Amino acid sequence: MPIAVDIDVMLARRKMTVGELAERVGITPANLAVLKNGRAKAVRFSTLAALCEVLDCQPGDLLRWEAADGSDSVPIRDAQVAD
């Protein structure tokens, strides 16, 4: 999948468990695991905003784009938008 999820990186930096993050964000640990493991097909902006608030980070700290061949890895906030 071209979008990689780095929630586990932020959890480690904040010394927080999946269960604690799920509780503070207001989602189930199972749903957070689906998102964290890159199996989610979509994420609500309200959930992304809550994750960023609790983890004190930006969306680009949690999500990044990877080229199909795996050669590039660009944080979402740094990606260029084509016209």
Side-chain angles (χ1 to χ4, degrees):
M1 176 180 248
I3 302 297
V5 182
D6 290 328
I7 291 175
D8 53 347
V9 173
M10 293 306 296
L11 282 171
R13 287 183 183 166
R14 302 298 186 251
K15 297 183 173 123
M16 189 180 296
T17 65
V18 171
E20 181 183 354
L21 179 60
E23 184 177 321
R24 292 178 62 184
V25 169
I27 62 176
T28 66
N31 284 339
L32 181 57
V34 167
L35 180 59
K36 183 176 89 63
N37 296 323
R39 294 189 317 256
K41 299 291 182 194
V43 60
R44 292 177 188 236
F45 281 168
S46 59
T47 302
L48 183 58
L51 286 165
C52 289
E53 183 177 354
V54 170
L55 293 170
D56 189 28
C57 66
Q58 294 295 314
D61 296 326
L62 301 176
L63 304 172
R64 64 186 155 80
W65 174 81
E66 291 183 337
D69 63 4
S71 62
D72 284 329
S73 179
V74 180
I76 298 298
R77 67 173 174 251
D78 297 336
Q80 297 286 326
V81 177
D83 291 323

